[in-house]
Amino acid sequence: MKPAAVVRLALAGTRTDTLRVVLTAASGALATVIMLLAATVLAIPTHPLRDNDVSATYANQYRIQLLVEPGLRGGTAFALVLLTVPVLALAAQCGRLGAPARDRRLAAIRLAGATPGQAVVIAAAETGLAAALGSLAGLAAYLAGRVLLHRPDAEGTLLLPTDVLPSWWGIVAVCAGLPVLATLIAAGLLRRVVFTPFGVVRRTRTRAPRPWPVALIAVGVGLVWLAVPLGRWVERWPGNPVGPVLTTVVYLAGLTTAIGVVVSTGSISHAAGRLLHRYARRPAALLAARRLLADPWSGSRTFAVLMVCVLFGAGAVAVRASFVTEFATREASARWQARAAGIPYESVENTNFYFDSLKLVDAAVAVATVLAAAGMLVAIAEGIVSRRREYAALVATGVPRGTLARATLWQVFAPVIPAVVVALAAGAALPRGMVGESHAGGGRTQYCVGGWDQCTDPGSPNLRTIDVPDFVHAVPVPFADLALVGAGALLAVLAVVGVGMLFLRGATAVEELRTT
């Protein structure tokens, strides 16, 4: 099949197919902009070290400290790359919009003589072309934003790194890599779909989900709790590579926990369906239970990315609690020393950088949550529209629309609520493995009675030594903040389901019984 024919067949279709291409392209454009921003952060030049002055390596032309210090740019770029995960998940959900009609069109192409492989190529090419259009649009938006946002203040500092560009090969890698990745993902999602001349056959899983993915969460949390004793052991190694080893362990722990949260959603959905099927007595709950048991993976895929957002949000809340406890412990020790020396206490520690950085993390989590909720909305709407014939048949036999609406609510919230609890617990447990309590003080310190010029001699009677007690504060579990994170996620799900219910009335019309 010629490439021109593949492109023409991939972009053919109805208004629903056009909407699917537009939404996929918009998701690809957003992912391209985020990846180019990450590449821009990494492209900021680092000034050479002069006279062992670390501050000489700083990029002081920016206002945001995360861009100024070279050691923080890697983490900032990594956070931006993580932000593309919900965007790609949204693109995957948009790719399923109107999929039954597209599958029937591909079956007709098979009837006309196309091979199964060619049918898959056409379906994957549609996603790849949409992602390519989105990448070009994202590149144009990035270049335009770079010009529009280049506004130095009176001191010549910039809010964003609009004075640098990634390398040309980095731009090409981003703009070409995302469409290729989208095409491969689309082809992978079609691996269980067989296009035949007589229709579409899906190879579905008949075995219930295994509970082993939940163990990945325990492994990830356990890695963090082993980080402190591992750091003490690594201190005895030549070169003392504690920093790189601990950084690697923390990244692996976070990645393992996130994967565990994602892949365990199927098990949670199946368990919720079993409990509903056993204890529910109302028709709506029983309908939801049967749907969850029949295909637990379908529902779990819609909120898996949202659970990752909850995981990182809970982790940021726990890190904030550890910062607050650490600074309070240091202040308590400094106050005691000032009182023992008979001098007034003045706090000089600047904590704005730490909490401002956490505010940026919170903003990123909020954006990712909105994107994940948008993906859920697309999935719920697509599920209602694709099952409109079954819904219309139920209404025609006497099932009230309210029962179907409540069944959808049960189907969404029955697995989401326990999944949110699991994600909150895992996110809160990750930082506590390294900072369960904070220490300050301890040992001995000296202070001078009078001016320091009178204490230049170590034997001066004005030089006093005091024993400073060890101040230890346990980091509290921020239950209130964790509850806010969980409540925000559940409110986002509730809003998404409420909007999705708007599609239910049209999908339950009697005329939909004629849908083919």
Side-chain angles (χ1 to χ4, degrees):
M1 186 177 295
K2 295 182 179 180
V6 173
V7 173
R8 188 171 63 253
L9 292 173
L11 298 180
T14 62
R15 287 179 296 179
T16 303
D17 298 296
T18 302
L19 178 62
R20 179 175 63 247
V21 171
V22 170
L23 291 177
T24 305
S27 303
L30 183 57
T32 301
V33 171
I34 296 174
M35 291 293 290
L36 288 175
L37 288 176
T40 303
V41 171
L42 294 177
I44 296 175
T46 301
H47 303 291
L49 183 67
R50 296 192 304 270
D51 300 329
N52 293 325
D53 184 10
V54 178
S55 62
T57 64
Y58 290 178
N60 294 312
Q61 68 269 30
Y62 304 119
R63 304 175 212 167
I64 301 177
Q65 199 69 19
L66 293 174
L67 302 177
V68 173
E69 297 187 27
L72 300 176
R73 294 176 200 150
T76 304
F78 181 72
L80 288 171
V81 172
L82 286 180
L83 194 58
T84 61
V85 174
V87 179
L88 295 176
L90 175 61
Q93 296 293 351
C94 293
R96 290 298 305 164
L97 187 64
R102 180 193 62 186
D103 294 345
R104 289 192 293 270
R105 186 175 72 251
L106 292 174
I109 294 174
R110 282 279 290 117
L111 184 60
T115 64
Q118 289 173 336
V120 173
V121 167
I122 293 172
E126 177 192 295
T127 302
L129 290 173
L133 294 174
S135 292
L136 293 177
L139 177 60
Y142 167 78
L143 295 176
R146 181 174 176 272
V147 175
L148 295 175
L149 297 176
H150 187 73
R151 296 289 184 269
D153 61 5
E155 299 178 355
T157 59
L158 298 169
L159 180 63
L160 297 174
T162 53
D163 58 334
V164 295
L165 265 177
S167 60
W168 65 267
W169 57 265
I171 296 177
V172 171
V174 170
C175 295
L178 284 175
V180 171
L181 179 61
T183 303
L184 294 176
I185 291 175
L189 293 176
L190 293 172
R191 70 188 186 279
R192 294 183 176 274
V193 179
V194 179
F195 301 103
T196 70
F198 307 104
V200 182
V201 179
R202 284 178 172 81
R203 296 190 290 264
T204 59
R205 306 179 189 180
T206 58
R207 190 174 61 181
R210 301 296 185 184
W212 65 264
V214 182
L216 286 177
I217 302 176
V219 171
V221 174
L223 281 175
V224 172
W225 285 77
L226 291 175
V228 174
L230 179 63
R232 298 194 187 101
W233 180 56
V234 172
E235 285 179 351
R236 300 193 295 267
W237 291 12
N240 192 16
V242 177
V245 171
L246 289 183
T247 302
T248 303
V249 170
V250 171
Y251 277 148
L252 285 178
L255 182 62
T256 303
T257 306
I259 293 174
V261 169
V262 170
V263 299
S264 64
T265 52
S267 302
I268 295 174
S269 296
H270 188 266
R274 290 185 61 184
L275 289 175
L276 274 181
H277 189 264
R278 177 175 297 179
Y279 297 108
R281 294 295 180 266
R282 305 295 295 177
L286 290 173
L287 279 174
R290 293 305 300 174
R291 289 176 187 169
L292 289 173
L293 290 174
D295 191 3
W297 294 275
S298 177
S300 63
R301 283 192 296 266
T302 62
F303 63 85
V305 179
L306 182 65
M307 295 305 104
V308 177
C309 298
V310 174
L311 175 73
F312 282 101
V317 165
V319 170
R320 180 180 287 104
S322 67
F323 281 166
V324 171
T325 306
E326 178 70 21
F327 297 141
T329 308
R330 292 182 189 176
E331 186 174 3
S333 177
R335 283 182 182 276
W336 187 94
Q337 294 180 50
R339 187 168 58 251
I343 58 177
Y345 170 74
E346 294 181 5
S347 179
V348 296
E349 187 170 17
N350 186 9
T351 62
N352 293 332
F353 165 71
Y354 301 96
F355 293 109
D356 289 345
S357 301
L358 287 176
K359 288 178 182 178
L360 292 177
V361 173
D362 293 339
V365 171
V367 172
T369 301
V370 172
L371 295 172
M376 286 190 64
L377 176 59
V378 173
I380 291 174
E382 192 274 333
I384 292 175
V385 173
S386 64
R387 289 194 294 265
R388 60 189 184 276
R389 187 172 185 179
E390 290 81 358
Y391 282 133
L394 289 172
V395 172
T397 56
V399 178
R401 287 188 176 90
T403 300
L404 296 180
R406 288 190 294 273
T408 303
L409 284 172
W410 274 108
Q411 185 180 356
V412 173
F413 277 96
V416 162
I417 292 176
V420 166
V421 173
V422 171
L424 287 175
L430 282 174
R432 290 188 66 84
M434 298 186 65
V435 285
E437 58 184 18
S438 63
H439 297 260
R444 291 186 172 186
T445 187
Q446 292 182 326
Y447 68 95
C448 181
V449 179
W452 280 104
D453 55 343
Q454 302 176 6
C455 301
T456 56
D457 185 6
S460 172
N462 293 329
L463 192 63
R464 309 289 175 81
T465 301
I466 56 174
D467 293 323
V468 181
D470 189 13
F471 289 82
V472 181
H473 290 168
V475 178
V477 179
F479 289 107
D481 293 336
L482 291 174
L484 286 177
V485 173
L490 293 178
L491 285 176
V493 174
L494 181 61
V496 164
V497 175
V499 176
M501 290 298 101
L502 299 177
F503 297 89
L504 186 60
R505 177 167 292 276
T508 54
V510 179
E511 292 80 5
E512 297 296 339
L513 289 172
R514 298 172 58 89
T515 302
T516 58

